Amino acid sequence: MVYAILGVDEKNQVLTTYIWYRQHWTDEFLRWDPSRFDNLTQISLPMENIWVPDILINEFVDVGKSPHVPYVYVDHHGEVQNLKPIQVMTACSLDIYNFPFDVQNCSLTFTSWLHHIRDLNLSLWRQPELIKFDRSIFMNQGEWELLYILSHFQEFSVKSSDSYAEMKFYLVIRRRPLFYTVSLLLPSIFLMVMDIVGFYLPPNSGERVSFKITLLLGYSVFLIIVSDTLPATAVGTPLIGTYFVVCMALLVISLTETILIVRLVHKQDLQPHVPDWVKRLLLERAPALLCIRDRKKFSQSRTQSSDISRQVENNDSTAKLNHYGCDDPREGESTGFAVHTTGSPLTHGVLREVTAIRQFLERRDEFRGVAHEWLQVGYVLDVLLFRAYLLAVLAYSLTLGTLWSVWRDA
């Protein structure tokens, strides 16, 4: 009868169990007639003074802290009862792939180490159906839950010698995942959701980069904290460890995408014009394919930037023709007089300064138009990469859900 699951050591593959062990056998040399001994039907004897079967557990790996019970009960029919609680430390092949939703199946094999089946045979005291779901004394408040106990009797032989009898019990236990779900899964899910929400920050602001870096650092600290909680074995890696690694990789990809977008839309004085193929691909076709609401705005911005470029070229040609300054015939007609310039050096200096200021303002407007074009390209590219990132996260979530469903059905 299983009383408690004291510990499961995944690293050393050891299960520590506390059981109530009940053993009965008949010794024909310990019979007496109660009428000859004042109707005495039962006595207790020291275990060292009688024969005790050498029943051992094959999976035994270490001595547990079991209380010592020095006596056994013997009745007048020669039936001996050996009742004692024992702490068992046994080897068990633990599968931690589905941690913390894992179910473990560990065996306890009772057999005689010296006696053949002709000398010592084994049988169940109770029926297997009664043993299977007997949780009457099990402490059900720990990390592990006892599902059922399967029993199986078999004979085996070593090197074609005489057969031995063994009784094998399979302890099927399940881990309670609530603690690990709250402390491991939910914080990771919240950080991934915040990473997705961070895409709604404007791409031309530096706050998104700092926000993504803060999330990445927070997730790194989170992994350091939970590293002691995850089971460590040389056999394999739990699925939740792979989940954390992929989430870390997704955060790195998100930060890389943000850095590229911010670098693309960053305003520079010598930023070149947007290539025509980029305009056709990202400002005309991509908004239609991505169902972006402001695609008319993108086409208008492209038209305005081309108008600005043509205007700058016309202004440059006008400035070359009017090397003295700003003589406009229409302006003279409207005012009724014409301005005649003199050849003084002061006038030439003033005109040169005015022309330089005008060219500087026109160049600044041109730079603003180019920067606005790159900003629109950055917005469209940001939407495209965000949706690709969102599809990757959804595909990853569906894959994990499918793996967990398949494992649960199996």
Side-chain angles (χ1 to χ4, degrees):
M1 300 180 67
V2 180
Y3 180 73
I5 306 296
L6 299 181
V8 177
D9 188 356
E10 294 89 355
K11 183 177 181 179
N12 299 316
Q13 301 282 293
V14 174
L15 172 68
T16 305
T17 315
Y18 196 78
I19 62 176
W20 288 5
Y21 181 64
R22 300 188 293 180
Q23 187 181 40
H24 293 245
W25 69 92
T26 301
D27 192 339
E28 63 271 20
F29 300 104
L30 295 178
R31 295 177 180 175
W32 71 89
D33 185 6
S35 61
R36 298 178 56 185
F37 299 97
D38 295 333
N39 294 324
L40 183 64
T41 59
Q42 189 180 47
I43 60 173
S44 61
L45 296 176
M47 190 177 298
E48 293 81 7
N49 296 338
I50 64 172
W51 178 84
V52 178
D54 58 333
I55 303 296
L56 302 177
I57 301 177
N58 287 346
E59 296 85 357
F60 174 81
V61 293
D62 196 2
V63 178
K65 299 178 181 179
S66 305
H68 179 62
V69 181
Y71 297 100
V72 294
Y73 286 97
V74 183
D75 63 6
H76 65 284
H77 296 293
E79 181 180 356
V80 184
Q81 298 182 13
N82 183 16
L83 311 178
K84 59 182 178 180
I86 58 176
Q87 180 178 336
V88 183
M89 301 183 67
T90 56
C92 179
S93 180
L94 301 173
D95 185 10
I96 61 169
Y97 178 75
N98 297 297
F99 175 88
F101 305 97
D102 51 336
V103 176
Q104 306 296 342
N105 187 358
C106 299
S107 62
L108 299 177
T109 305
F110 295 85
T111 185
S112 174
W113 195 254
L114 297 176
H115 297 84
H116 302 292
I117 195 172
R118 298 192 310 271
D119 302 331
L120 193 151
N121 199 357
L122 300 176
S123 62
L124 285 176
W125 182 22
R126 296 186 299 166
Q127 296 297 323
E129 293 77 12
L130 298 177
I131 299 176
K132 183 175 183 180
F133 297 104
D134 185 9
R135 292 189 290 268
S136 58
I137 65 168
F138 183 72
M139 294 182 62
N140 201 24
Q141 302 298 327
E143 179 183 356
W144 293 90
E145 176 186 2
L146 179 64
L147 297 181
Y148 49 85
I149 301 175
L150 300 178
S151 57
H152 177 67
F153 172 80
Q154 67 179 8
E155 300 179 11
F156 72 98
S157 60
V158 180
K159 295 182 179 180
S160 302
S161 61
D162 294 333
S163 298
Y164 294 85
E166 69 176 14
M167 187 65 64
K168 188 180 290 289
F169 296 92
Y170 295 95
L171 274 66
V172 183
I173 57 178
R174 178 174 60 191
R175 193 193 306 265
R176 290 187 173 91
L178 181 60
F179 169 75
Y180 298 98
T181 302
V182 173
S183 60
L184 298 181
L185 293 179
L186 289 182
S188 177
I189 293 174
F190 291 156
L191 289 175
M192 293 302 298
V193 171
M194 290 305 300
D195 180 65
I196 294 175
V197 173
F199 277 94
Y200 286 94
L201 289 173
N204 57 338
S205 66
E207 296 297 328
R208 184 193 282 191
V209 177
S210 60
F211 179 76
K212 299 280 186 178
I213 293 176
T214 304
L215 281 180
L216 188 60
L217 292 176
Y219 203 85
S220 302
V221 174
F222 168 74
L223 291 183
I224 294 174
I225 294 175
V226 305
S227 60
D228 296 333
T229 306
L230 296 178
T233 61
V235 179
T237 304
L239 183 61
I240 192 172
T242 307
Y243 162 75
F244 287 145
V245 172
V246 175
C247 288
M248 190 77 172
L250 289 175
L251 290 176
V252 172
I253 292 173
S254 174
L255 177 60
T256 305
E257 183 268 343
T258 301
I259 293 175
L260 292 177
I261 294 299
V262 172
R263 176 64 182 86
L264 184 65
V265 303
H266 185 67
K267 295 181 179 180
Q268 294 181 355
D269 292 339
L270 300 178
Q271 199 168 13
H273 287 276
V274 179
D276 293 335
W277 65 272
V278 175
K279 294 179 182 178
R280 288 192 301 268
L281 184 62
L282 294 180
L283 298 183
E284 293 181 1
R285 298 180 181 179
L289 293 176
L290 299 177
C291 299
I292 299 178
R293 299 177 181 178
D294 298 336
R295 57 177 180 267
K296 294 182 179 179
K297 179 181 178 181
F298 296 152
S299 61
Q300 291 176 1
S301 64
R302 179 188 174 187
T303 305
Q304 291 175 0
S305 62
S306 60
D307 293 341
I308 291 174
S309 300
R310 288 195 298 268
Q311 183 179 0
V312 170
E313 294 177 356
N314 295 330
N315 291 333
D316 290 339
S317 60
T318 304
K320 291 179 180 179
L321 292 175
N322 300 330
H323 62 278
Y324 278 153
C326 51
D327 292 339
D328 191 351
R330 292 177 295 178
E331 188 176 350
E333 293 177 358
S334 60
T335 55
F337 63 92
V339 179
H340 298 282
T341 59
T342 60
S344 63
L346 180 61
T347 305
H348 285 286
V350 172
L351 291 177
R352 281 196 300 268
E353 295 295 331
V354 172
T355 304
I357 293 173
R358 180 181 178 181
Q359 291 177 355
F360 171 75
L361 295 177
E362 291 172 350
R363 184 66 63 181
R364 187 182 63 177
D365 292 338
E366 181 184 3
F367 289 155
R368 287 180 178 178
V370 173
H372 183 69
E373 279 188 350
W374 282 111
L375 182 61
Q376 301 299 332
V377 170
Y379 269 106
V380 176
L381 192 60
D382 183 60
V383 173
L384 178 62
L385 295 178
F386 167 67
R387 295 186 182 181
Y389 179 77
L390 190 60
L391 287 177
V393 173
L394 291 177
Y396 176 56
S397 303
L398 291 176
T399 302
L400 287 180
T402 304
L403 290 176
W404 185 76
S405 301
V406 170
W407 165 80
R408 188 174 184 181
D409 294 338

